[in-house]
Amino acid sequence: MPGPMQIESIAVRNFRCLRDITLENLTRMTIVVGPNGSGKSSLFDVFAFLRDALSQNVAAAVAQRGGYRELATRGEAGPLEITLQFRESGGRLATYQLKIAQAQSRPVVEHEALSYRIGQGGRWGWRFVDNRRGEGEVITNESEYGVSAMKGTDQKKRKFKLDDPSTLAIKSFGQLQEFPIVSEFRKFIENWHISDFQIADARPSADFGYAEHLSTRGDNVALVAKYLYENHPQQFNRVLQAMRQRVPGVSDVKAKPTEDGRLVLRFQDDNFQDPFIAPNVSDGTIKMFAYLVLLYDPNPHPLLAVEEPENQLYPALMRELVEEFHDYAQRGGQVFVSTHSPDFLNGAELDEIRWLVKEDGFTKVRRASESELLRNLVHEGDLPGALWRQGVFDLPGLHWRQDDRDGARL
């Protein structure tokens, strides 16, 4: 049975320090490691950029990042390019390609294409959207795509011209019921959650209002907790249960509704007789609670990207948090996490780990499972985080040759 949409590969060209990188054979969860300045934030900003370009337009998304000259790779003349290969909900292979160039001092969509392939080896393909600077073609007989396409069904197309060459065609046509395949992909990107959690914003979060999903900065955690409490009590109880199990010292968490419609959370610490209300608990407790609210969302985001979740959290919580991310990925949300924490990495599978390095000023991506040395060490019982801490990931030539395992152990 086909599962939720999942990105299988990402290729990025001329996006800041990402001059030419490709991440292939992606799993439900991907953990990215690397030293400061290796390109982790730039990689995660690719997701945010696509979402911003869809919700606004390409010109606005570029402007928010300092303009085209600041965003494009220095010294490169070609367009900025992002290519996603993914499995749509029907299990068919699809590709979305976006190229952005500068035209008359304004970023425009140089080329945008959404193509689906079916059949052995992707032999048959339909290009549902083909957009060049606001002009192109869109398929109008989407309902005939599928088995009939393998029988030679003709693709019926119509030409279009958008008002703004910086607007994505998937935004324009994805809002129309007659283009359900384009609409599905638009909603896929639209519902990505790229976390920019700020503890300072989460702590004084508003008690009044309405919110179903945690915001990127976490400033509405109290409102989302109230929504879960009132509308999804089973999910809310799972959050509380996880807090009791995951956070040392927290023996109980209770929620008490007030007469004026607020929800007061009380955290019981074993060391104190009286419970603490949410605004007075530690940064780590608030952050863990916010992550659990995010991870137990009744409608998981199709993609969840979180940078350095270990900040403000006790190291012993890392393995627990990895388990929660894994559970989330299995429930339907693809997960990307960057980390500097060996403890977090210890909970990862080798096939999930990508590490970034800088070579000649540009980012290169390596996959941990492609190293025979790392595979052997993990097979013998070593943990990925311990190997990362010892510097084994950075051994010269690790990715390209068979290393002497005994000589490499530090």
Side-chain angles (χ1 to χ4, degrees), residues 5 15 18-19 25 33 41 74 97 140 159 173 187 192 218 242 251 260 291 293 300 322 328 354 363 371 380-381 410:
M5 295 178 74
F15 189 99
L18 310 180
R19 182 175 62 177
N25 301 315
V33 295
S41 293
R74 296 183 185 278
Q97 183 181 52
T140 58
K159 296 184 181 299
F173 294 102
K187 291 176 182 177
W192 287 356
S251 59
D260 57 2
Y291 276 144
V293 166
V322 176
Y328 183 90
R354 309 298 174 103
T363 298
S371 164
E380 291 182 359
L410 302 180

Side-chain angles (χ1 to χ4, degrees), residues 358-373:
K358 273 282 190 70
E359 294 182 3
D360 301 323
F362 301 108
T363 298
K364 300 292 183 183
V365 181
R366 300 173 180 172
R367 188 174 189 176
S369 61
E370 292 179 352
S371 164
E372 183 177 4
L373 172 62

Side-chain angles (χ1 to χ4, degrees), residues 318-379:
M318 292 301 99
R319 293 291 291 271
E320 311 283 342
L321 189 56
V322 176
E323 289 181 14
E324 295 291 353
F325 278 118
H326 275 133
D327 289 345
Y328 183 90
Q330 294 306 313
R331 290 196 300 270
Q334 190 171 9
V335 176
F336 290 81
V337 177
S338 72
T339 184
H340 288 289
S341 169
D343 297 291
F344 190 94
L345 209 57
N346 281 339
E349 299 291 334
L350 204 59
D351 198 43
E352 298 172 335
I353 301 171
R354 309 298 174 103
W355 82 95
L356 308 187
V357 296
K358 273 282 190 70
E359 294 182 3
D360 301 323
F362 301 108
T363 298
K364 300 292 183 183
V365 181
R366 300 173 180 172
R367 188 174 189 176
S369 61
E370 292 179 352
S371 164
E372 183 177 4
L373 172 62
L374 290 177
R375 291 198 306 270
N376 289 339
L377 290 174
V378 170
H379 180 72

Side-chain angles (χ1 to χ4, degrees), residues 143-340:
S143 60
E144 299 179 52
Y145 177 69
V147 177
S148 60
M150 294 186 286
K151 298 179 180 179
T153 300
D154 291 333
Q155 301 175 30
K156 299 177 182 178
K157 301 179 180 180
R158 80 168 185 230
K159 296 184 181 299
F160 66 82
K161 184 174 182 179
L162 304 177
D163 292 336
D164 184 353
S166 75
T167 298
L168 298 183
I170 60 169
K171 176 179 181 179
S172 298
F173 294 102
Q175 299 178 51
L176 304 177
Q177 292 183 354
E178 61 185 295
F179 302 102
I181 290 179
V182 181
S183 178
E184 182 184 35
F185 182 69
R186 176 188 64 84
K187 291 176 182 177
F188 175 59
I189 296 180
E190 197 172 60
N191 290 311
W192 287 356
H193 182 95
I194 295 87
S195 178
D196 183 24
F197 185 88
Q198 302 292 326
I199 192 67
D201 292 339
R203 183 168 291 286
S205 65
D207 291 320
F208 296 97
Y210 179 84
E212 296 184 10
H213 305 286
L214 193 70
S215 65
T216 58
R217 298 179 68 86
D219 56 353
N220 63 345
V221 61
L223 296 179
V224 180
K226 179 183 176 184
Y227 167 77
L228 292 178
Y229 176 83
E230 295 176 345
N231 298 279
H232 299 276
Q234 185 176 8
Q235 294 297 101
F236 184 78
N237 287 333
R238 288 178 180 174
V239 172
L240 300 189
Q241 182 180 2
M243 283 293 295
R244 298 184 191 107
Q245 294 175 344
R246 304 297 195 188
V247 182
V250 175
S251 59
D252 196 16
V253 183
K254 293 183 178 179
K256 182 180 179 181
T258 63
E259 293 182 358
D260 57 2
R262 294 180 297 125
L263 187 69
V264 178
L265 297 174
R266 296 181 179 272
F267 297 83
Q268 183 66 55
D269 191 306
D270 286 334
N271 298 313
F272 298 92
Q273 181 176 357
D274 296 325
F276 293 90
I277 60 174
N280 297 325
V281 301
S282 68
D283 287 351
T285 300
I286 286 290
K287 188 168 187 178
M288 190 66 176
F289 181 75
Y291 276 144
L292 290 171
V293 166
L294 171 64
L295 295 171
Y296 282 88
D297 192 313
N299 298 300
H301 297 278
L303 183 144
L304 175 62
V306 181
E307 288 196 74
E308 301 179 15
E310 66 269 18
N311 293 340
Q312 290 104 24
L313 292 181
Y314 187 59
L317 285 177
M318 292 301 99
R319 293 291 291 271
E320 311 283 342
L321 189 56
V322 176
E323 289 181 14
E324 295 291 353
F325 278 118
H326 275 133
D327 289 345
Y328 183 90
Q330 294 306 313
R331 290 196 300 270
Q334 190 171 9
V335 176
F336 290 81
V337 177
S338 72
T339 184
H340 288 289

